[in-house]
Amino acid sequence: MLSIRPANASDVPTLNTLIHEFAEFEHLSVAANEAGLLRDGFGEAPKFRVLLAEWEGQSAGYALFFDYYSSFEGRPGLFLEDIYIRGQYRGKGIGKALLARVASVASEQNCFGVRWQVLDWNTRAIEFYRELGATFLDDWKTVSLDGNALEIVARGAR
């Protein structure tokens, strides 16, 4: 049986494990650790929210999301940073249920929508999102200013 609930500070070790599993699945490096997750998600000014999915009491996956604002829409939106289901729990409708809960939060908060990214090789996820009626913003390019480039640009601030 599926249960979805908001994560709390005591869930940080599980969340950290799930994030590391997700990074391995996506062949990406990961720097997240429990101290940072605790500080940034469950401290005085949380930077993100998490829903945990449990199947028969076992950790099955999570959705991590945060608020942002669209100047063109004139309303807030939610950005879904991660949605991950452990391999043994895929095909049980957990991903769809997690996404539905995030959409419900967006609707309750009068957000214009939910946005996220998907790697181009993840055809299973792409098809899943297409079946849900999601719009792919192919004209938009994701841009990231980080690492050394971030530091160089930041030093130019006056």
Side-chain angles (χ1 to χ4, degrees):
M1 172 148 222
L2 176 63
S3 168
I4 297 175
R5 64 175 177 80
N8 58 56
S10 67
D11 294 313
V12 166
T14 299
L15 177 60
N16 188 55
T17 297
L18 290 168
I19 290 170
H20 283 258
E21 286 178 14
F22 188 31
E24 184 177 326
F25 171 78
E26 295 216 324
H27 313 292
L28 298 170
S29 62
V30 61
N33 60 53
E34 290 182 21
L37 292 170
L38 186 61
R39 176 194 64 233
D40 296 338
F42 304 95
E44 193 173 302
K47 308 287 190 255
F48 62 85
R49 292 177 268 173
V50 175
L51 295 173
L52 286 179
E54 296 169 334
W55 186 266
E56 297 180 357
Q58 299 299 310
S59 175
Y62 74 102
L64 186 148
F65 56 98
F66 55 87
D67 301 306
Y68 77 99
Y69 192 83
S70 171
S71 58
F72 292 173
E73 292 289 339
R75 297 195 293 169
L78 292 181
F79 190 85
L80 180 61
E81 178 69 16
D82 295 343
I83 185 164
Y84 172 68
I85 308 303
R86 287 178 152 164
Q88 67 268 36
Y89 299 104
R90 293 183 191 139
K92 298 180 183 299
I94 298 170
K96 188 173 185 177
L98 267 174
L99 191 53
R101 286 289 291 275
V102 173
S104 175
V105 170
S107 180
E108 290 167 7
Q109 295 180 356
N110 194 33
C111 294
F112 77 90
V114 178
R115 289 194 174 162
W116 65 93
Q117 299 170 320
V118 60
L119 291 170
D120 61 359
W121 60 260
N122 194 344
T123 55
R124 187 172 172 191
I126 290 168
E127 279 307 308
F128 171 69
Y129 300 142
R130 277 199 177 111
E131 289 172 10
L132 292 175
T135 302
F136 287 78
L137 305 174
D138 293 332
D139 293 342
W140 294 73
K141 297 290 183 203
T142 300
V143 179
S144 182
L145 183 65
D146 52 30
N148 193 44
L150 173 66
E151 295 306 317
I152 290 169
V153 173
R155 283 195 294 266
R158 299 186 196 273

